[in-house]
């Protein structure tokens, strides 16, 4: 596969075919993210993508899922996405689900009928970054859109018949807005009611504006106890009809996999034990993005 630049994929797409359809991120302004710094966003040419699909047809016959790589692959023009999905269906008929990152802005560029066309063509899940339900925090980190816009576009993904996975970031509000960020995020997740929530813990990257703010003393990162407190508040404020709340990313201090609503109380009790020092936390040396 002809991968260029930085390749990012969700944790649960680790065994998927990784088909890169775009390089970089169409927004690339979030102050906490250094993944695509220095990379200019562009859509990969048809010939390269077609060659990669042909390669997958020969060498990836045991993989049932495929992920369209790119910081915001759903931003591709509708005709191009349909073309790619058509090639996947034609050459990789054993693939049962295609996934992609999709920002609220990208989803907003698609009509309801276009979203349903993507579902019918094989798009099964969209990964959307909420990061925080607190609009003040979103504005501070230069995230595009506010919580209402993200809620609206997330619900449109579900209404089109695709699964919705939402990512949030513990610690993003800093110590100053920690409680507000955690509570508001749980409330927004409740309104979105996704099938999956992925809670990651903020790790400051040296090539980001947020790292520079931290160095100047303008941003204070919560410590491990503060992150756990946020996690507890966020989970307590999150009600899903039926879904998974995952905090088992490599960045997290306390790995959790919670099936909601049934597993919430047991998970809250586990966090309480960790806060009291009765559950081991991941050593800093083993935390990673």
């Amino acid at each position: 596969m002809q991968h260029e630049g930085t390749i990012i994929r969700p944790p649960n797409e680790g065994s998927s075919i990784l088909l890169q359809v775009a390089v970089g991120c169409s927004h690339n302004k979030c102050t906490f993210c250094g993944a695509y710094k220095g990379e200019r966003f562009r859509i990969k040419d048809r010939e390269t993508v077609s060659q990669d699909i042909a390669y997958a047809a020969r060498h990836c016959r045991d993989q049932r899922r495929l992920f369209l790589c790119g910081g915001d692959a759903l931003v591709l023009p509708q005709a191009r996405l349909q073309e790619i999905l058509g090639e996947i269906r034609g050459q990789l008929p054993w693939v049962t689900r295609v996934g992609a990152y999709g920002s609220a802005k990208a989803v907003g560029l698609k009509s309801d009928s276009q979203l349903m066309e993507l579902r019918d063509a094989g798009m099964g899940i969209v990964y959307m970054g909420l990061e925080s339900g607190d609009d003040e925090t979103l504005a501070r980190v230069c995230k595009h859109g506010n919580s209402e816009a993200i809620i609206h576009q997330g619900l449109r993904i579900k209404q089109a018949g695709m699964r919705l996975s939402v990512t949030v970031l513990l610690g993003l509000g800093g110590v100053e807005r920690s409680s507000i960020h955690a509570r508001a995020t749980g409330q927004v997740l409740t309104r979105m009611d996704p099938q999956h929530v992925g809670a990651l813990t903020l790790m400051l990257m040296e090539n980001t504006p947020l790292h520079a703010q931290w160095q100047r003393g303008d941003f204070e990162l919560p410590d491990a106890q503060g992150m756990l407190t946020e996690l507890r508040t966020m989970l307590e404020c999150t009600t899903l009809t039926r879904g998974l709340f995952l905090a088992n990313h490599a960045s997290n201090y306390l790995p959790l996999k919670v099936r909601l609503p049934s597993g919430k109380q047991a998970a809250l009790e586990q966090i309480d034990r960790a806060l009291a020092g009765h559950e081991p936390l991941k050593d800093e040396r083993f935390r990673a993005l």
Side-chain angles (χ1 to χ4, degrees):
M1 305 289 272
Q2 302 170 74
H3 293 156
E4 300 178 46
T6 304
I7 301 295
I8 303 291
R9 50 87 180 161
N12 66 336
E13 298 283 356
S15 61
S16 300
I17 299 168
L18 301 180
L19 178 66
Q20 188 181 27
V21 298
V23 177
C25 174
S26 62
H27 180 59
N28 206 17
K29 296 176 182 176
C30 295
T31 64
F32 59 86
C33 180
Y36 302 106
K37 291 291 185 281
E39 291 185 19
R40 184 174 181 178
F41 177 76
R42 63 179 173 85
I43 298 169
K44 295 188 76 172
D45 63 89
R46 284 177 170 80
E47 181 180 358
T48 299
V49 174
S50 293
Q51 288 174 353
D52 282 348
I53 293 173
Y55 178 92
R58 296 191 301 271
H59 301 286
C60 304
R61 302 187 69 87
D62 293 331
Q63 291 163 270
R64 297 292 181 264
R65 293 180 177 178
L66 182 147
F67 183 73
L68 300 179
C69 295
D72 191 10
L74 213 66
V75 82
L76 269 66
Q78 182 75 3
R80 183 71 185 111
L81 278 172
Q82 287 182 301
E83 184 179 41
I84 292 169
L85 291 169
E87 280 195 68
I88 292 168
R89 177 164 286 180
Q91 296 197 48
L92 312 174
W94 57 86
V95 168
T96 59
R97 190 185 79 182
V98 177
Y101 286 125
S103 67
K105 180 181 179 180
V107 177
L109 295 173
K110 313 292 184 191
S111 67
D112 291 343
S113 61
Q114 286 178 323
L115 290 175
M116 287 187 282
E117 287 170 0
L118 294 178
R119 175 207 63 198
D120 292 342
M123 184 76 72
I125 186 168
V126 174
Y127 297 85
M128 181 177 287
L130 167 63
E131 323 308 353
S132 176
D134 173 34
D135 285 342
E136 177 65 26
T137 294
L138 292 177
R140 289 184 181 186
V141 300
C142 299
K143 176 79 175 178
H144 184 275
N146 57 27
S147 59
E148 287 298 326
I150 298 172
I151 291 168
H152 176 62
Q153 301 304 338
L155 292 176
R156 291 183 65 232
I157 289 293
K158 292 173 57 187
Q159 289 161 3
M162 291 178 277
R163 298 180 74 81
L164 177 65
S165 180
V166 177
T167 303
V168 297
L169 264 179
L170 299 168
L172 194 60
V175 171
E176 178 188 356
R177 298 189 71 81
S178 179
S179 178
I180 297 169
H181 159 64
R183 189 170 301 278
T185 302
Q187 292 167 349
V188 169
L189 288 172
T190 298
R191 291 178 60 190
M192 295 179 80
D193 197 21
Q195 287 87 358
H196 303 91
V197 175
L200 284 64
T201 300
L202 177 63
M203 298 184 74
L204 297 174
M205 301 176 69
E206 291 186 2
N207 62 336
T208 61
L210 192 58
H211 183 272
Q213 292 174 27
W214 171 75
Q215 284 187 313
R216 294 195 304 267
D218 297 332
F219 179 83
E220 186 179 358
L221 188 70
D223 60 13
Q225 290 288 103
M227 296 292 190
L228 281 178
T229 301
E230 275 196 22
L231 177 61
R232 192 193 194 288
T233 300
M234 192 179 294
L235 178 59
E236 187 175 34
C237 292
T238 300
T239 301
L240 303 184
T241 301
R242 184 181 180 185
L244 283 174
F245 187 106
L246 303 174
N248 56 356
H249 185 263
S251 62
N252 295 119
Y253 286 102
L254 180 69
L256 286 179
K257 182 177 181 180
V258 188
R259 187 167 296 279
L260 296 179
S262 60
K264 180 189 281 192
Q265 187 56 43
L268 291 174
E269 291 172 2
Q270 183 179 356
I271 298 170
D272 286 339
R273 290 195 297 273
L275 285 167
H278 303 311
E279 286 265 349
L281 302 184
K282 186 181 297 180
D283 190 285
E284 289 287 354
R285 295 172 296 172
F286 303 114
R287 294 177 63 231
L289 288 172

